Amino acid sequence: MNKEPASITAAGASYPRIAMTVDCVIFCFDENELKVLLCRNEQEQSEKQWSLPGNFAAEHEELDEVACRVLQQHTRLDDAFVEQVRTFIHPHPAGRVLTVAYCALINIKHEQLQIPEQGLHWHSVNSLQDIAFDHKDLLDYSYKWLQKRIQEHPLGFNLLPCRFSLREMQNMYEAILDIRLDRRNFRKKFFAMDLLIDTGAYENDVPHRPGRLYTFDFRKHEESKRSCTGITFL
Amino acid sequence: MNKEPASITAAGASYPRIAMTVDCVIFCFDENELKVLLCRNEQEQSEKQWSLPGNFAAEHEELDEVACRVLQQHTRLDDAFVEQVRTFIHPHPAGRVLTVAYCALINIKHEQLQIPEQGLHWHSVNSLQDIAFDHKDLLDYSYKWLQKRIQEHPLGFNLLPCRFSLREMQNMYEAILDIRLDRRNFRKKFFAMDLLIDTGAYENDVPHRPGRLYTFDFRKHEESKRSCTGITFL
DNA sequence: ACAAAAGTGTTCGTGGTACACCCATGT
DNA sequence: ACATGGGTGTACCACGAACACTTTTGT
């Protein structure tokens, strides 16, 4: 299948091979909750269990590409935030499987979003049950990863519409971190960062005074990654 | 090879398999420099190149176990800091290989330490050359990973002897982060954390006033992992 | 008018940074 | 005595936390 010199074939042939999948923890933020997309396990496992969407790597496919493809297949989204989390190895009735876990963050209101397959559902991360046991680990790890990562990188905006109110932002942070934040300090903090662009527009369809809508300035943030010497041992 | 029900064999057999190795970036701190252990590539690649120590996963072996085994084989150390960094997939003359990168931090003065194999050498991370090209990525990524991780977790003490002076600590942080730190502020910061245990002993064999020797209180640190709500976007 | 959330400033405490002098040891 | 690095304290500034009232909109 591969063209290779004879001297190399011998060494290459001796590499042991292992079954591998790329599984995607697809998060969204909906109804003020962090949710994850799970599917009924079509294959060999118990039918009452939910599992993470995943797939195998095709020939010559990069890991990131596999993750994007899994996302595309289950949501029809091409262009979302996708990042590698960690690799696990799990026992499996058909021999152990190596699983590279990815995290994807999508906007539940995205126009292209479709959940085409039967047996796919959004589950609130705070009320998970009947998860295939190895996927439970993976999901817990990914959730903790997200909690940590969101505090040092503006990932969360990938869960929101392009234009969002400060309230939505705050709800998102509160839901993911599972804490309460002071509204005034929250505003002050983000305005001080100077990474929100005021669109001039306002919310509508809200039963109270509408809030301003903002956009996150990803470009400016990229440019302003500063050195930052912490040593704080969180 | 695996005992499995017939109904499961079918699904299991269909899993595509991929060549996989676990590679270890083994760091030490020596002569006030961060160094990494590399070996001459015994196998199929150019003999003038250095590569990271690695190995395949044996049957039923966990990923962490493979990494520990690689470390043991090259250093004779059983009990060091070892942590997964990231998984890569690289083209390879004999077909692509999936590589799970691990980082190990060892104390260069450890009594058990032996570098048994020929062709193994410590290289300063600041003057790397002739590295097998895919291992270069992996090493760069692991070094950045270490720089980030050391600022939020006390990994660095694994590079030092059990008892160390504040000067050694500071040199270690300065070398890894490639910055200068103020000595007084550095002391104040660490004493404020209250995680250093004064052993009462002093350095000797130094051509100046000897410094106190400390031990890091790993246990206390474990217990005191606090919530910490940052959102700082470093 | 009322309910509900938007918007706005000040005070206080903590923690980081900058900075200079005396002390203990080996040569 | 001298050189080398160990050990200490103070002043300033930035940032996070706590906290209450007025404004705007929809019902």
PDB file of all heavy atoms in Angstrom, chain A residues 94-108:
ATOM      1  N   ALA A  94     -13.495  -6.160  21.935  1.00  0.00           N
ATOM      2  CA  ALA A  94     -12.817  -6.618  20.724  1.00  0.00           C
ATOM      3  C   ALA A  94     -11.331  -6.276  20.747  1.00  0.00           C
ATOM      4  O   ALA A  94     -10.716  -6.078  19.710  1.00  0.00           O
ATOM      5  CB  ALA A  94     -13.471  -5.987  19.506  1.00  0.00           C
ATOM      6  N   GLY A  95     -10.748  -6.148  21.937  1.00  0.00           N
ATOM      7  CA  GLY A  95      -9.343  -5.765  22.029  1.00  0.00           C
ATOM      8  C   GLY A  95      -9.284  -4.286  22.345  1.00  0.00           C
ATOM      9  O   GLY A  95     -10.160  -3.521  21.957  1.00  0.00           O
ATOM     10  N   ARG A  96      -8.255  -3.894  23.030  1.00  0.00           N
ATOM     11  CA  ARG A  96      -8.222  -2.506  23.495  1.00  0.00           C
ATOM     12  C   ARG A  96      -8.151  -1.511  22.329  1.00  0.00           C
ATOM     13  O   ARG A  96      -7.618  -1.828  21.249  1.00  0.00           O
ATOM     14  CB  ARG A  96      -7.048  -2.300  24.410  1.00  0.00           C
ATOM     15  CG  ARG A  96      -5.751  -2.487  23.685  1.00  0.00           C
ATOM     16  CD  ARG A  96      -4.620  -2.398  24.630  1.00  0.00           C
ATOM     17  NE  ARG A  96      -3.374  -2.553  23.898  1.00  0.00           N
ATOM     18  CZ  ARG A  96      -2.209  -2.277  24.441  1.00  0.00           C
ATOM     19  NH1 ARG A  96      -2.148  -1.849  25.681  1.00  0.00           N
ATOM     20  NH2 ARG A  96      -1.113  -2.428  23.725  1.00  0.00           N
ATOM     21  N   VAL A  97      -8.634  -0.329  22.621  1.00  0.00           N
ATOM     22  CA  VAL A  97      -8.696   0.719  21.614  1.00  0.00           C
ATOM     23  C   VAL A  97      -8.052   1.977  22.164  1.00  0.00           C
ATOM     24  O   VAL A  97      -8.311   2.367  23.300  1.00  0.00           O
ATOM     25  CB  VAL A  97     -10.169   1.023  21.245  1.00  0.00           C
ATOM     26  CG1 VAL A  97     -10.250   2.185  20.272  1.00  0.00           C
ATOM     27  CG2 VAL A  97     -10.837  -0.208  20.669  1.00  0.00           C
ATOM     28  N   LEU A  98      -7.233   2.580  21.329  1.00  0.00           N
ATOM     29  CA  LEU A  98      -6.644   3.860  21.685  1.00  0.00           C
ATOM     30  C   LEU A  98      -7.571   4.954  21.191  1.00  0.00           C
ATOM     31  O   LEU A  98      -7.983   4.951  20.028  1.00  0.00           O
ATOM     32  CB  LEU A  98      -5.266   3.968  21.038  1.00  0.00           C
ATOM     33  CG  LEU A  98      -4.473   5.195  21.411  1.00  0.00           C
ATOM     34  CD1 LEU A  98      -3.063   4.795  21.790  1.00  0.00           C
ATOM     35  CD2 LEU A  98      -4.455   6.178  20.273  1.00  0.00           C
ATOM     36  N   THR A  99      -7.910   5.886  22.064  1.00  0.00           N
ATOM     37  CA  THR A  99      -8.858   6.931  21.715  1.00  0.00           C
ATOM     38  C   THR A  99      -8.233   8.298  21.903  1.00  0.00           C
ATOM     39  O   THR A  99      -7.802   8.628  23.005  1.00  0.00           O
ATOM     40  CB  THR A  99     -10.105   6.848  22.606  1.00  0.00           C
ATOM     41  OG1 THR A  99     -10.679   5.557  22.464  1.00  0.00           O
ATOM     42  CG2 THR A  99     -11.117   7.905  22.221  1.00  0.00           C
ATOM     43  N   VAL A 100      -8.187   9.068  20.826  1.00  0.00           N
ATOM     44  CA  VAL A 100      -7.721  10.446  20.936  1.00  0.00           C
ATOM     45  C   VAL A 100      -8.962  11.322  21.115  1.00  0.00           C
ATOM     46  O   VAL A 100      -9.826  11.369  20.244  1.00  0.00           O
ATOM     47  CB  VAL A 100      -6.942  10.883  19.695  1.00  0.00           C
ATOM     48  CG1 VAL A 100      -6.409  12.292  19.878  1.00  0.00           C
ATOM     49  CG2 VAL A 100      -5.804   9.910  19.409  1.00  0.00           C
ATOM     50  N   ALA A 101      -9.057  11.963  22.274  1.00  0.00           N
ATOM     51  CA  ALA A 101     -10.233  12.773  22.584  1.00  0.00           C
ATOM     52  C   ALA A 101     -10.053  14.193  22.077  1.00  0.00           C
ATOM     53  O   ALA A 101      -9.002  14.799  22.286  1.00  0.00           O
ATOM     54  CB  ALA A 101     -10.471  12.801  24.094  1.00  0.00           C
ATOM     55  N   TYR A 102     -11.071  14.703  21.430  1.00  0.00           N
ATOM     56  CA  TYR A 102     -11.094  16.084  20.983  1.00  0.00           C
ATOM     57  C   TYR A 102     -12.257  16.806  21.630  1.00  0.00           C
ATOM     58  O   TYR A 102     -13.270  16.181  21.986  1.00  0.00           O
ATOM     59  CB  TYR A 102     -11.231  16.158  19.460  1.00  0.00           C
ATOM     60  CG  TYR A 102      -9.897  16.157  18.753  1.00  0.00           C
ATOM     61  CD1 TYR A 102      -9.193  14.970  18.576  1.00  0.00           C
ATOM     62  CD2 TYR A 102      -9.331  17.340  18.282  1.00  0.00           C
ATOM     63  CE1 TYR A 102      -7.962  14.961  17.951  1.00  0.00           C
ATOM     64  CE2 TYR A 102      -8.104  17.345  17.646  1.00  0.00           C
ATOM     65  CZ  TYR A 102      -7.418  16.152  17.484  1.00  0.00           C
ATOM     66  OH  TYR A 102      -6.199  16.148  16.869  1.00  0.00           O
ATOM     67  N   CYS A 103     -12.116  18.118  21.740  1.00  0.00           N
ATOM     68  CA  CYS A 103     -13.190  18.954  22.237  1.00  0.00           C
ATOM     69  C   CYS A 103     -13.603  19.892  21.113  1.00  0.00           C
ATOM     70  O   CYS A 103     -12.748  20.481  20.452  1.00  0.00           O
ATOM     71  CB  CYS A 103     -12.687  19.769  23.420  1.00  0.00           C
ATOM     72  SG  CYS A 103     -13.830  21.013  24.004  1.00  0.00           S
ATOM     73  N   ALA A 104     -14.907  19.992  20.880  1.00  0.00           N
ATOM     74  CA  ALA A 104     -15.412  20.958  19.902  1.00  0.00           C
ATOM     75  C   ALA A 104     -16.411  21.864  20.602  1.00  0.00           C
ATOM     76  O   ALA A 104     -17.169  21.419  21.454  1.00  0.00           O
ATOM     77  CB  ALA A 104     -16.078  20.234  18.740  1.00  0.00           C
ATOM     78  N   LEU A 105     -16.370  23.146  20.258  1.00  0.00           N
ATOM     79  CA  LEU A 105     -17.307  24.102  20.845  1.00  0.00           C
ATOM     80  C   LEU A 105     -18.110  24.725  19.724  1.00  0.00           C
ATOM     81  O   LEU A 105     -17.538  25.316  18.800  1.00  0.00           O
ATOM     82  CB  LEU A 105     -16.548  25.197  21.597  1.00  0.00           C
ATOM     83  CG  LEU A 105     -15.634  24.720  22.725  1.00  0.00           C
ATOM     84  CD1 LEU A 105     -14.946  25.917  23.377  1.00  0.00           C
ATOM     85  CD2 LEU A 105     -16.399  23.938  23.763  1.00  0.00           C
ATOM     86  N   ILE A 106     -19.416  24.598  19.790  1.00  0.00           N
ATOM     87  CA  ILE A 106     -20.225  25.125  18.701  1.00  0.00           C
ATOM     88  C   ILE A 106     -21.320  26.039  19.225  1.00  0.00           C
ATOM     89  O   ILE A 106     -21.704  25.991  20.385  1.00  0.00           O
ATOM     90  CB  ILE A 106     -20.860  23.991  17.876  1.00  0.00           C
ATOM     91  CG1 ILE A 106     -21.924  23.278  18.697  1.00  0.00           C
ATOM     92  CG2 ILE A 106     -19.816  23.019  17.376  1.00  0.00           C
ATOM     93  CD1 ILE A 106     -22.854  22.472  17.843  1.00  0.00           C
ATOM     94  N   ASN A 107     -21.782  26.872  18.340  1.00  0.00           N
ATOM     95  CA  ASN A 107     -22.881  27.786  18.627  1.00  0.00           C
ATOM     96  C   ASN A 107     -24.187  27.104  18.247  1.00  0.00           C
ATOM     97  O   ASN A 107     -24.421  26.820  17.076  1.00  0.00           O
ATOM     98  CB  ASN A 107     -22.662  29.060  17.811  1.00  0.00           C
ATOM     99  CG  ASN A 107     -23.909  29.911  17.746  1.00  0.00           C
ATOM    100  OD1 ASN A 107     -24.832  29.732  18.525  1.00  0.00           O
ATOM    101  ND2 ASN A 107     -23.916  30.840  16.809  1.00  0.00           N
ATOM    102  N   ILE A 108     -25.002  26.872  19.232  1.00  0.00           N
ATOM    103  CA  ILE A 108     -26.245  26.108  19.029  1.00  0.00           C
ATOM    104  C   ILE A 108     -27.194  26.808  18.055  1.00  0.00           C
ATOM    105  O   ILE A 108     -28.064  26.179  17.448  1.00  0.00           O
ATOM    106  CB  ILE A 108     -26.950  25.866  20.390  1.00  0.00           C
ATOM    107  CG1 ILE A 108     -28.081  24.849  20.280  1.00  0.00           C
ATOM    108  CG2 ILE A 108     -27.478  27.158  20.977  1.00  0.00           C
ATOM    109  CD1 ILE A 108     -27.618  23.454  20.005  1.00  0.00           C
TER     110      ILE A 108
END
